[in-house]
Amino acid sequence: MMKTVKTAMSMRISDLLRTGCVNLWRRKTRTILTALSMTIGVMCIVVLISIGIGYGQAYQETVEAMGSLTKIDVTPVQKVDDKQKTALLNDKAVESLKHLEGVEAVTPVEQLTGYLKSGSYIAMVKLYGIDLDTAQSFQITPTEGEAPTEGLRLHPEVMVTDDLAASFADPNNNWSDAVDADGNPLVDVMSSPIKLTFDYDLLNGNQKADKEGRASAIGTFYNLDVSGICTSQNYTYATSGFLDITRLQEWQKIQKEQAEQKSKSNTDSSSSSGSSTTTGNNGSTETNSTGNNTTTGNNATNNTGNTTTGSTDTSATDNNNNASNGNNTSTTTESNSKDTERAPVGSSTSGSSANAQSGSSSPAADTYDLVWVKAEKVSEVQRISNLIKQAGFETYSLNDMLETVKKQSRQIQGMLGAIGLVAMLVSGICVANTMMMSINERTREVGILKVLGTEFSDIARIFLTEAFLVGLAGGVAGLILSALMGQLIPRLFADMDIRCVFPWWLVLGGILFAGVVALIAAWIPARKAMNISPNEAIRSE
């Protein structure tokens, strides 16, 4: 019998829910208004937090579009003075980077700017020489065509970015863009013949006088074989091309040799007061008034050097020539060697004078200005960057920028969330006021429940359940209203590029948070209901 009474007096969860729904329905207007205040509070905090999340997501997408978040740029430390010792970013360092834990791929990078010519159209291109085996790891993959191979030196294979075709201009038409009326490029980089050179004068057909005064071509034209097209990664690699690093190193060597030859030619021209030209084998020598010695004949051999004004000693002139130049290599032979010779980077093929000027191979020829490192995970980037910095190198990664963006996003979310909490606080006060009024109106009911033997805790649960139901209803309605505002706000503020993002945890958290706020707000009124005296409650009107 006692067991039956105890069971009757103890309220189950289903009893609490049923009782709560009945009591709320008896006061529909008050319940709707209280739930409406909770709806507005939930909408404010959810929408404001979603705007903060959308802000962070938009900036993260912008950063990600600029390139891989797991790519680290490694560069040597800049010297403050010649006495400062710095780590060399050479092949040994590259191998060490490959063996770091968490590293997926490593490639040295060489860069060179060149000029492209297709018909009469001209464009500038920035070439990246990389280890093509690592291209896929660094998101350098073809969207059209195929990845390049090593190719031939005069016919290299290159993969270009998708904005290169539109960069061609017409020099004969005031450098206007080479596009049709619809804005489509007139140059099809995949099928149009394209030539590459590193000497701008060669594009216009300009020529330079050689030592004998004859016109000679400047630089070299390379026939490009564009194997594929890749994205510019949000203009990170604007108007660029990617090819095998060995090929680009060969071109760098040739450009260095040509620069040395031009510098040497200018030096000889400025220091000489006359010239000696041998064009035959009869050994006769004529002396003119300006001090130029001219030997005429049939077989041509060119020697240039310093000659004393008015001198007619051809043998002395030849000796001076040999001493100053160090070789008798003809212009034709030098031109041919540039097109056919393949030598390691940093070697010299211009003769003994080049060796005398530059000495042995420069240490810089075995070092790199830039190395790319690809981490396996974004979470490993900071750790790997710190290890590389400890080794004496400088690093940069888009992940550094992303961390700054995330920090700003969290600050904005916190600020907007604090504003939303103010609205939730007002909603909680409304719930507390409603529950307090409900208890004052139901004092007699509370007294009767206590006389019947209802546990004090069950009386508190009745009011807490009612408050939780009001908060739950307000939370659901608030999420529905938030979804509508999420569609409306971006349209109202289209110029500000505002977006609302509702992750699952925000949706679920919004409902539960509304219920918890309602429970907290109703706790004091529920405690008051537990402390009501049964006698006073029964006597109350």
Side-chain angles (χ1 to χ4, degrees):
M1 182 65 179
M2 292 299 296
K3 183 177 180 180
T4 304
V5 173
K6 185 176 181 180
T7 304
M9 292 297 101
S10 180
M11 300 185 68
R12 298 187 296 265
I13 295 179
S14 59
D15 296 333
L16 292 173
L17 293 175
R18 184 171 59 253
T19 303
C21 291
V22 172
N23 291 332
L24 292 175
W25 185 252
R26 286 164 54 189
R27 300 170 179 82
K28 294 186 291 293
T29 303
R30 182 187 298 171
T31 300
I32 292 174
L33 292 176
T34 305
L36 182 60
S37 67
M38 186 62 67
T39 299
I40 295 175
V42 171
M43 180 205 68
C44 289
I45 193 170
V46 170
V47 169
L48 290 175
I49 292 178
S50 69
I51 291 176
I53 296 174
Y55 166 82
Q57 188 180 85
Y59 273 85
Q60 180 172 344
E61 290 175 357
T62 302
V63 174
E64 290 177 347
M66 296 171 62
S68 174
L69 295 176
T70 55
K71 183 172 78 70
I72 305 171
D73 292 346
V74 182
T75 55
V77 176
Q78 297 296 326
K79 286 187 176 182
V80 179
D81 51 52
D82 294 336
K83 297 181 180 180
Q84 180 183 359
K85 295 182 179 180
T86 59
L88 295 178
L89 191 57
N90 50 21
D91 291 331
K92 183 177 180 180
V94 171
E95 288 299 322
S96 300
L97 294 175
K98 291 180 180 179
H99 292 88
L100 288 178
E101 183 180 357
V103 171
E104 178 183 332
V106 177
T107 178
V109 182
E110 297 288 0
Q111 303 176 61
L112 195 62
T113 300
Y115 304 96
L116 302 179
K117 186 172 184 179
S118 180
S120 60
Y121 304 127
I122 295 175
M124 182 179 290
V125 63
K126 185 173 183 179
L127 298 173
Y128 291 86
I130 63 174
D131 181 0
L132 295 176
D133 293 335
T134 65
Q136 186 172 3
S137 297
F138 293 100
Q139 299 181 353
I140 303 174
T141 55
T143 57
E144 180 182 349
E146 299 178 350
T149 60
E150 183 177 354
L152 302 176
R153 186 168 66 85
L154 295 178
H155 294 79
E157 290 190 10
V158 180
M159 181 167 57
V160 300
T161 53
D162 50 12
D163 60 342
L164 182 64
S167 68
F168 279 86
D170 188 357
N172 300 323
N173 188 19
N174 199 24
W175 293 97
S176 60
D177 294 336
V179 295
D180 58 18
D182 297 329
N184 299 317
L186 296 176
V187 177
D188 186 353
V189 294
M190 292 289 291
S191 60
S192 301
I194 299 178
K195 293 183 178 181
L196 167 70
T197 185
F198 300 101
D199 197 317
Y200 183 78
D201 290 333
L202 190 60
L203 295 174
N204 301 322
N206 295 340
Q207 294 180 328
K208 178 182 178 181
D210 59 12
K211 299 176 182 179
E212 295 180 347
R214 296 176 300 184
S216 63
I218 303 173
T220 304
F221 266 130
Y222 303 94
N223 296 315
L224 283 190
D225 181 7
V226 179
S227 63
I229 299 175
C230 62
T231 64
S232 61
Q233 298 186 24
N234 197 26
Y235 300 104
T236 301
Y237 305 110
T239 60
S240 300
F242 301 91
L243 68 159
D244 183 73
I245 187 172
T246 304
R247 189 68 57 235
L248 198 62
Q249 287 173 334
E250 291 178 349
W251 291 344
Q252 287 178 325
K253 168 183 170 290
I254 293 174
Q255 299 310 305
K256 180 180 178 181
E257 291 177 350
Q258 290 180 349
E260 291 176 351
Q261 290 173 359
K262 289 181 180 179
S263 176
K264 175 185 173 183
S265 176
N266 293 335
T267 301
D268 292 343
S269 176
S270 62
S271 62
S272 64
S273 59
S275 61
S276 175
T277 305
T278 302
T279 59
N281 55 6
N282 57 5
S284 63
T285 304
E286 298 179 1
T287 305
N288 54 27
S289 59
T290 60
N292 295 332
N293 298 333
T294 305
T295 303
T296 59
N298 299 323
N299 299 327
T301 303
N302 180 26
N303 290 316
T304 303
N306 297 328
T307 309
T308 305
T309 304
S311 172
T312 60
D313 189 352
T314 307
S315 61
T317 302
D318 292 341
N319 292 333
N320 291 335
N321 292 338
N322 294 332
S324 62
N325 289 317
N327 61 69
N328 291 322
T329 306
S330 66
T331 303
T332 305
T333 304
E334 290 178 354
S335 176
N336 292 337
S337 67
K338 297 173 189 175
D339 295 335
T340 59
E341 184 178 2
R342 297 182 63 177
V345 179
S347 64
S348 177
T349 58
S350 58
S352 59
S353 67
N355 292 334
Q357 293 177 4
S358 60
S360 59
S361 297
S362 172
D366 298 326
T367 60
Y368 304 102
D369 293 329
L370 176 63
V371 172
W372 289 346
V373 176
K374 176 69 180 333
E376 294 178 351
K377 301 178 181 178
V378 176
S379 58
E380 296 286 335
V381 172
Q382 293 300 325
R383 181 185 63 83
I384 295 174
S385 295
N386 292 333
L387 291 175
I388 296 174
K389 289 178 181 178
Q390 292 174 7
F393 302 108
E394 294 181 352
T395 64
Y396 171 77
S397 173
L398 290 176
N399 194 265
D400 299 334
M401 184 186 301
L402 182 60
E403 289 298 323
T404 303
V405 171
K406 286 182 177 179
K407 183 178 180 180
Q408 294 177 350
S409 177
R410 287 191 292 266
Q411 292 175 347
I412 292 176
Q413 291 178 34
M415 180 182 65
L416 296 177
I419 297 174
L421 281 175
V422 174
M424 285 297 297
L425 178 61
V426 175
S427 300
I429 294 174
C430 292
V431 172
N433 180 64
T434 299
M435 298 309 300
M436 189 67 73
M437 292 177 60
S438 179
I439 291 172
N440 291 334
E441 293 175 356
R442 296 160 61 185
T443 303
R444 186 179 182 85
E445 178 183 338
V446 172
I448 294 174
L449 290 174
K450 288 186 175 182
V451 170
L452 293 176
T454 305
E455 296 181 0
F456 289 0
S457 59
D458 285 340
I459 295 174
R461 290 192 187 103
I462 290 174
F463 292 99
L464 292 176
T465 301
E466 293 177 11
F468 181 76
L469 291 175
V470 172
L472 194 64
V476 173
L479 288 177
I480 296 174
L481 189 59
S482 298
L484 296 177
M485 294 299 295
Q487 299 294 325
L488 181 61
I489 289 177
R491 298 180 181 180
L492 293 176
F493 302 95
D495 296 338
M496 301 177 63
D497 192 22
I498 294 178
R499 67 170 73 176
C500 297
V501 179
F502 301 96
W504 67 268
W505 58 265
L506 182 59
V507 175
L508 182 60
I511 298 175
L512 295 179
F513 186 68
V516 171
V517 170
L519 288 175
I520 295 174
W523 175 249
I524 295 178
R527 293 275 299 179
K528 179 181 178 181
M530 293 173 57
N531 296 329
I532 295 178
S533 173
N535 295 329
E536 294 179 1
I538 293 175
R539 287 197 302 268
S540 64
E541 294 295 333

